[in-house]
């Protein structure tokens, strides 16, 4: 920023707010995110996927080359800027697959064979903010690199189902799976000619985006969100009808696993996904409960991406899910557990008791008990009020009389019948287990 611009920014004293479409995540909502993130982490571990974290800022060329120039993301959604220090062209990542593939090539990660990786992090797209659509949003996703499938294609889809199930989402009622195959480049080439012919005879019905993409990337027209284009898109030639025996065999093999696993899906021949890098298997998980932002997860095979980014040709497949949309869905269905409360609240009536109280509270925490310490003093009554409001199951009262006897008073806050008892300060470890309550 030029110096004079900086000066005027500094002189302004109006309160600052977050950038439009970029949200703060605050308690108690953040606890729900952590709960969901823990589920994702555990799921990935069960399937043998290792965590990977790539930079939020990447060279702009990574996405232009990786996603394709004629895509919504590259044409109008990227936050791109020039690095003022060295004029590098940079972009806030709009998705994570290209970054993961770049990292895999850069670090020769597939030297000894395939790699299963997963990530979770912020992505950035300049879109019109609305429910389920933001400018900074978060994705978790998995990438199976160096596997030609169809086994891993099916594994990734089953992995998504395992997560939905664990979250309490009921297959078919809350989420459903759509599946398609995009075949191989040569098959797409033939389909492309038929597609252009179809849209040419209906040229007057095309919207501006479609007209612009008619010759550069007609497949993208099938991904149009414009309702006025729906009839025309529905009548377009189906890519599935152009697939050869090998592509069909791959598709059938994926379907056979899903069938055997009792996973219902529908084949949607219009499902093309937003990026150019996909081939063969593509899929989306959708819900009817989030309006127009109904896709919670999308993925597919991208065997051409490694070469596109300058690596050795390498088969790969992956998916990405939108964290905000999954959170909205779980919220809508009331599937989040009740927020966790501390096991105990430490009441310290006199400041002179603080050193002794603190030693006990630390010992309890070391034993795995969540203890909230009353901070800032206050009368016995107000401290009890805070203890109650904290949701803690127990109050620990460090009163002078008890401390003088080498004890602390313990009171169950949620059970009106329970009498106040005392516990010895000397053997905290022995009674810590009484306070440890299972976390959801
Ligand atoms: P959409 O069709 O809704 O724009 P997309 O096809 O652009 O989605 P992908 O690039 O496939 O989305 O990203 C995978 C997932 O990430 C989506 O299914 C969605 O759940 C989530 N997602 C994508 N864009 C956003 C956004 N702007 N805000 C919130 N979540 C998003
Ligand atoms: Mg989009």
């Amino acid at each position: 920023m030029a110096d004079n611009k900086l000066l005027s920014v500094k002189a302004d004293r109006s309160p600052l707010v977050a950038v439009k479409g970029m949200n703060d995540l605050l308690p108690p909502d953040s606890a729900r995110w952590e709960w969901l993130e823990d589920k994702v982490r555990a799921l990935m571990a069960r399937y043998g996927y290792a965590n990977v974290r790539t930079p939020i800022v990447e060279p702009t060329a990574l996405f232009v080359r990786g996603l394709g120039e004629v895509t919504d993301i590259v044409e109008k959604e990227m936050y791109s800027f020039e690095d003022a220090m060295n004029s590098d062209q940079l972009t806030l990542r709009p998705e994570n697959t290209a970054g993961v593939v770049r990292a895999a090539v850069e670090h020769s990660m597939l030297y000894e064979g395939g790699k299963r990786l997963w990530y979770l992090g912020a992505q950035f797209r300049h879109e019109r903010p609305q429910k389920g659509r933001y400018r900074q949003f978060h994705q978790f996703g998995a990438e199976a690199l160096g596997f030609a499938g169809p086994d891993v294609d099916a594994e990734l889809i089953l992995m998504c189902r395992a997560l939905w199930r664990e979250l309490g989402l009921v297959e078919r009622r809350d989420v459903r799976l759509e599946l398609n195959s995009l075949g191989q480049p040569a098959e797409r080439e033939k389909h492309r000619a038929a597609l252009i012919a179809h849209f040419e005879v209906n040229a007057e019905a095309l919207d501006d985006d479609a007209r612009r993409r008619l010759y550069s990337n007609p497949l993208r027209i099938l991904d149009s969100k414009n309702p006025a284009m729906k009839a025309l898109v529905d009548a377009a030639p189906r890519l599935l009808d152009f697939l050869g025996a090998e592509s069909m065999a791959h598709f059938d093999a994926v379907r056979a696993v899903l069938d055997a696993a009792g996973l219902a899906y529908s084949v949607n021949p219009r499902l093309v996904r937003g990026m150019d890098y996909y081939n063969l298997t593509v899929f989306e998980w959708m819900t009817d409960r989030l309006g127009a932002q109904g896709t919670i997860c999308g993925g597919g095979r991208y065997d051409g991406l490694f070469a596109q980014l300058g690596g050795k040709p390498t088969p790969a497949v992956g998916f990405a899910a939108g964290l905000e949309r999954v959170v909205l869905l779980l919220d809508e269905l009331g599937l989040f557990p009740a927020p966790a409360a501390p096991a105990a609240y430490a009441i310290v009536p006199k400041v002179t008791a603080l050193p002794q109280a603190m030693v006990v509270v630390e010992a309890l925490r070391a034993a795995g008990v969540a203890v909230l310490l009353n901070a800032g003093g206050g009368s016995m009554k107000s401290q009890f009020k805070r203890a109650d409001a904290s949701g803690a199951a127990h109050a620990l009262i460090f009163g002078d009389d008890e401390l003088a006897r080498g004890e602390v008073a313990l009171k169950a806050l949620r059970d009106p019948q329970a009498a106040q008892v005392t516990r010895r300060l000397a053997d905290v470890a022995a009674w810590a287990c009484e306070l440890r309550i299972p976390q959801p």
Side-chain angles (χ1 to χ4, degrees):
M1 214 182 299
D3 280 353
N4 51 355
K5 257 200 193 161
L6 266 182
L7 276 179
S8 71
V9 165
K10 271 178 77 177
D12 187 355
R13 287 280 182 271
S14 57
L16 288 159
V17 296
V19 175
K20 185 177 169 193
M22 308 201 178
N23 302 311
D24 297 310
L25 178 61
L26 310 173
D29 293 343
S30 50
R32 302 173 152 209
W33 279 61
E34 288 185 295
W35 179 83
L36 175 57
E37 287 165 8
D38 284 347
K39 297 275 184 212
V40 171
R41 224 165 260 135
L43 173 90
M44 297 295 177
R46 281 206 301 280
Y47 281 77
Y49 284 68
N51 186 235
V52 56
R53 301 177 195 203
T54 60
I56 284 173
V57 180
E58 294 274 8
T60 302
L62 175 66
F63 305 111
V64 176
R65 276 167 62 181
L67 312 191
E69 237 166 319
V70 190
T71 54
D72 277 350
I73 291 180
V74 173
E75 279 184 341
K76 47 195 181 199
E77 295 174 358
M78 293 204 305
Y79 282 91
S80 296
F81 56 97
E82 187 178 291
D83 185 331
M85 304 300 164
N86 58 12
S87 303
D88 285 352
Q89 297 301 317
L90 304 175
T91 294
L92 302 185
R93 64 184 185 200
E95 57 87 76
N96 223 143
T97 300
V100 169
V101 169
R102 177 202 49 69
V105 173
E106 185 171 339
H107 305 289
S108 308
M109 286 178 73
L110 303 185
Y111 186 64
E112 289 172 322
K115 274 270 180 311
R116 288 171 160 98
L117 304 170
W118 77 278
Y119 61 82
L120 188 157
Q123 316 294 334
F124 303 83
R125 297 184 193 177
H126 198 100
E127 303 197 68
R128 194 171 63 78
Q130 50 199 296
K131 185 180 166 193
R133 193 175 296 283
Y134 312 98
R135 291 182 174 173
Q136 175 176 326
F137 63 101
H138 299 76
Q139 288 182 333
F140 61 89
E143 317 285 359
L145 310 179
F147 301 98
D151 42 11
V152 278
D153 304 28
E155 172 176 276
L156 286 164
I157 294 171
L158 291 179
M159 185 169 163
C160 293
R161 174 177 71 167
L163 181 64
W164 311 144
R165 277 185 172 172
E166 192 174 334
L167 298 175
L169 296 170
V170 180
E171 239 172 278
R172 298 194 82 163
R173 205 187 63 205
D174 302 323
V175 287
R176 62 192 148 76
L177 174 65
E178 291 195 353
L179 197 64
N180 193 20
S181 174
L182 298 184
Q184 299 292 15
E187 293 155 349
R188 271 154 77 160
E189 209 43 52
K190 281 195 208 134
H191 171 250
R192 178 191 151 98
L195 208 52
I196 292 175
H198 167 77
F199 288 128
E200 271 177 340
V201 275
N202 298 286
E204 75 294 338
L206 298 177
D207 64 12
D208 286 350
D209 264 350
R211 210 162 289 145
R212 205 161 30 80
R213 291 168 173 181
L214 178 55
Y215 300 104
S216 54
N217 199 341
L219 198 65
R220 275 286 76 74
I221 300 177
L222 300 182
D223 198 29
S224 169
K225 294 191 177 69
N226 183 354
M229 296 267 306
K230 188 170 181 307
L232 188 57
V233 165
D234 283 346
R238 295 155 29 119
L239 178 47
L240 265 183
D241 296 331
F242 288 76
L243 299 196
E246 226 176 290
S247 293
M248 279 319 279
H250 189 107
F251 194 41
D252 291 342
V254 175
R255 296 178 59 171
V257 177
L258 304 185
D259 291 339
L263 171 45
Y265 56 86
S266 51
V267 174
N268 175 4
R270 313 285 162 218
L271 182 66
V272 294
R273 311 276 304 121
M275 280 73 103
D276 280 355
Y277 53 55
Y278 289 108
N279 67 311
L280 292 173
T281 318
V282 288
F283 60 92
E284 285 190 353
W285 288 92
M286 358 255 264
T287 174
D288 294 326
R289 296 174 182 268
L290 298 180
Q293 276 61 250
T295 305
I296 58 168
C297 173
R301 180 156 280 286
Y302 49 91
D303 296 335
L305 185 57
F306 274 76
Q308 194 74 31
L309 297 179
K312 228 174 53 200
T314 306
V317 56
F319 72 78
L323 220 62
E324 282 82 354
R325 292 188 192 177
V326 176
V327 168
L328 280 170
L329 181 58
L330 295 177
D331 236 347
E332 181 105 359
L333 297 170
L335 292 172
F336 281 114
Y345 189 97
I347 292 177
V348 189
K350 286 207 187 124
V351 70
T352 46
L354 193 62
Q356 253 182 307
M358 210 74 144
V359 169
V360 175
V361 166
E362 283 297 291
L364 284 169
R365 289 168 176 162
V369 181
V371 186
L372 194 60
L373 175 76
N374 182 79
S379 68
M380 191 74 144
K381 194 171 161 212
S382 70
Q383 293 200 31
F384 256 109
K385 258 195 183 155
R386 286 181 212 146
D388 207 44
S390 76
H394 295 91
L396 284 164
I397 307 125
F398 293 91
D400 281 351
D401 295 348
E402 285 88 357
L403 287 179
R405 291 197 302 269
E407 291 176 341
V408 59
L410 176 65
K411 188 166 169 25
L413 289 173
R414 311 293 146 193
D415 177 2
Q417 254 79 64
Q420 185 167 310
V421 295
T422 56
R423 294 287 175 265
R424 305 281 316 158
L425 298 181
D427 55 359
V428 171
W431 50 272
C433 53
E434 276 180 59
L435 302 183
R436 222 180 283 130
I437 46 171
Q439 298 293 310

